[in-house]
């Protein structure tokens, strides 16, 4: 029994509901991909299914639009599969259980997959239509966006002719996304020269707690403390004032998250313990003052370390580890001069881990300007060279740089103003989206991203505004009719 059949526009909500009946979690898109192939064949449309199950469906322009520039409508077919603990649901085979509450569509106890099922529904409704005016269309629906943009990475850009791309993976009505950051992961590897721990020294652990942390792209502009960099400052101060040995440093769990906690195990002569305690109290006060606005709950503490410590870093390893914490770049590097308030480039020392015979320092570098991303990478290489440690750089993905001369942006601004009597918000994010990869695959494209209001995405409370879907549908149709 259909839950959404009474909603307008009927075609959009029909296809959205059909999509929710087909399991399509990230990595499990074969069924939805095959369903899209069958849809295209039923409507006598050209379709390409690549080896990763990405789908491209092509439709000629309608009367009067035959010679208009080709437009790529783009979204992704995978959804994040999350459910409440008490919900019985198998994402491999069960359809979602839809319900309507007021203006909102929910799935019961699970994610809804409106991210990005609504993009598919919009595209399919246009592809199936007989009376919607539009330029030549290429609908691109990718796989595995949520787990690393695998579909976009694998795409053969030569399969697409369009150079105007409208991404429909945004989640706030009235906001047009025009730029995102590219990134690269760096790992400094310090080989540890171990020595036996002096028997006359006592082990203590210095702990940093109470920081807020956050996403290294979305919250890097909040000025929040980085526990790994803070530990570097503390240990560097101790290095200049107190004799101690260093046994391990561990902080953070993900390179793309601002680290909230860090622990350093040190060995010290008991005669210096009062001096050490005074230093830790001093740093606790310093940091509470420095971070009073961003991280008022920060604390630095010193406690006896319960486990036996048999080996410690050599003097050279200790000094290199502390120098690395001090020197590895971190935080905002540049702000955009085009978009007010946008972080243009940054880096985050997200993980420090003592593992086996190495200390690993892992960072996430981001920039919406390629040369600035590589400038930060060069800083990281220089640190490695000066300290005589190894640097590994990988997971390099491209940025979507702001285009001051975008024609599609101007069209979408003009249509929005005409429809709603106000300007849309133009914004950029300091994180990665598929447009960065797709722009590179296409050899440059005029791109923009929009979408209706979605809430609590990636959670079982995910819901989508019906009225917003209706408004953004009319908006999309008016935009397409304006491209000639």
């Amino acid at each position: 029994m259909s839950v959404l059949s009474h909603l307008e526009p009927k075609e959009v909500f029909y296809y959205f509901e059909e999509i929710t009946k087909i399991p399509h979690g990230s990595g499990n898109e074969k069924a939805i991909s095959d369903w899209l192939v069958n849809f295209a064949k039923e409507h006598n449309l050209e379709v390409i299914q690549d080896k990763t199950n990405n789908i491209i469906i092509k439709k000629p322009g309608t009367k009067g639009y035959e010679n208009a520039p080709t437009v790529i409508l783009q979204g992704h077919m995978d959804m994040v599969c999350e459910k409440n603990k008490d919900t019985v649901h198998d994402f491999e085979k069960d359809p979602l259980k839809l319900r309507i509450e007021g203006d909102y569509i929910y799935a019961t106890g699970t994610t809804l997959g409106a991210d990005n099922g609504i993009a598919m529904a919009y595209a399919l409704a246009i592809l199936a239509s007989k009376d919607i005016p539009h330029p030549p269309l290429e609908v691109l629906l990718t796989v595995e966006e949520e787990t690393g943009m695998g579909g976009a990475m694998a795409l053969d850009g030569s399969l697409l002719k369009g150079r105007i791309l409208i991404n429909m993976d945004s989640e706030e009505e009235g906001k047009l996304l025009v730029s995102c950051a590219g990134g690269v992961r760096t790992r400094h590897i310090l080989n540890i020269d171990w020595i036996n721990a002096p028997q006359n020294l006592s082990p203590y652990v210095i702990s940093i707690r109470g920081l807020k942390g956050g996403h290294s792209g979305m919250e890097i502009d909040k000025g929040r403390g980085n526990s790994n960099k803070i530990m570097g400052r503390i240990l560097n101060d101790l290095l200049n004032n107190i004799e101690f040995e260093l046994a391990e440093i561990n902080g953070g769990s993900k390179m793309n998250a601002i680290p909230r906690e860090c622990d350093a195990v040190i060995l010290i002569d008991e005669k210096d313990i009062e001096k050490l305690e005074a230093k830790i109290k001093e740093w606790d006060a310093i940091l509470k003052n420095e971070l009073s606005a961003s991280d008022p709950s920060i604390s630095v503490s010193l406690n006896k370390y319960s486990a036996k410590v048999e080996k410690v870093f050599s003097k050279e390893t200790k000094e290199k580890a502390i120098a690395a914490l001090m020197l590895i770049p971190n935080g905002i590097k540049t702000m955009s001069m085009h978009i007010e308030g946008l972080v243009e480039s940054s880096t985050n020392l997200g993980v420090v881990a003592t593992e086996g015979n190495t200390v690993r320092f892992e960072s996430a570098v981001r920039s919406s300007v390629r040369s600035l991303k590589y400038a930060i990478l060069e800083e990281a290489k220089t640190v490695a060279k000066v300290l005589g440690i190894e640097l590994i750089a990988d997971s390099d993905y491209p940025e979507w740089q702001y285009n001051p001369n975008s024609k599609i942006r101007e069209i979408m601004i003009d249509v929005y103003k005409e429809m709603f009597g106000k300007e849309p918000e133009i914004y950029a994010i300091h994180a990665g989206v598929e447009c960065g990869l797709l722009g590179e695959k296409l050899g440059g494209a005029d791109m923009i991203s929009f979408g209706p209001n979605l809430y609590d995405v990636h959670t079982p409370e995910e819901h989508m505004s019906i009225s917003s879907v209706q408004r953004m549908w009319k908006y999309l149709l008016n935009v397409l009719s304006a491209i000639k």
Side-chain angles (χ1 to χ4, degrees), residues 9 12 118 122 126 168 170 172-176 412 416 419-420 450-453 465-479:
V12 172
I118 192 57
Y122 276 166
I126 294 169
M168 299 180 288
S170 289
E172 290 184 78
E173 178 182 333
K175 297 179 72 170
L176 301 178
M412 291 188 75
Y416 193 89
M419 287 182 67
F420 303 108
F450 88 108
N453 287 330
S465 166
I466 295 166
S467 60
S468 184
V469 168
Q470 293 165 340
R471 287 188 295 272
M472 289 300 95
W473 169 248
K474 291 176 183 175
Y475 177 52
L476 174 60
L477 298 190
N478 286 341
V479 166

Side-chain angles (χ1 to χ4, degrees), residues 416-433:
Y416 193 89
K417 286 196 304 191
E418 189 175 323
M419 287 182 67
F420 303 108
K422 59 183 178 181
E423 294 255 358
E425 180 183 342
I426 304 301
Y427 79 113
I429 57 171
H430 193 56
V433 298

Side-chain angles (χ1 to χ4, degrees), residues 224-243:
R224 294 174 184 171
N226 179 307
S227 59
N228 296 328
K229 294 295 287 185
I230 290 169
M231 186 62 80
R233 292 174 65 192
I234 294 169
L235 293 176
N236 188 63
D237 186 25
L238 297 183
L239 193 64
N240 296 324
N241 290 283
I242 300 172
E243 290 288 332

Side-chain angles (χ1 to χ4, degrees), residues 202-335:
S202 301
Y204 285 83
V205 58
I206 302 169
S207 299
I208 296 169
R209 298 289 186 270
L211 294 169
K212 288 182 181 176
H215 187 287
S216 70
M218 309 307 285
E219 274 89 33
I220 200 76
D221 63 338
K222 306 293 191 298
R224 294 174 184 171
N226 179 307
S227 59
N228 296 328
K229 294 295 287 185
I230 290 169
M231 186 62 80
R233 292 174 65 192
I234 294 169
L235 293 176
N236 188 63
D237 186 25
L238 297 183
L239 193 64
N240 296 324
N241 290 283
I242 300 172
E243 290 288 332
F244 74 96
E245 303 294 342
L246 183 59
E248 62 179 85
I249 316 166
N250 292 290
S253 58
K254 293 183 178 179
M255 58 123 185
N256 61 356
I258 301 167
R260 297 176 294 108
E261 300 179 350
C262 188
D263 295 307
V265 176
I266 68 170
L267 276 67
I268 190 168
D269 194 313
E270 285 292 341
K271 69 178 174 60
D272 292 323
I273 190 61
E274 287 187 9
K275 191 175 181 183
L276 176 61
E277 288 173 339
K279 272 290 176 191
I280 297 303
K281 285 182 180 177
E282 180 184 338
W283 273 104
D284 187 63
I286 288 169
L287 294 162
K288 279 182 166 63
N289 176 57
E290 287 183 359
L291 301 172
S292 59
S294 63
D295 296 276
S297 298
I298 185 173
S299 69
V300 185
S301 63
L302 180 71
N303 293 286
K304 273 277 193 182
Y305 188 63
S306 56
K308 184 172 175 57
V309 177
E310 296 184 348
K311 292 185 179 296
V312 295
F313 296 179
S314 69
K315 183 175 183 292
E316 183 181 12
T317 299
K318 174 179 68 176
E319 291 175 352
K320 282 187 176 182
I322 295 169
L325 288 171
M326 292 293 290
L327 294 174
I328 291 171
N330 184 77
I332 294 172
K333 303 295 285 185
T334 59
M335 298 293 291

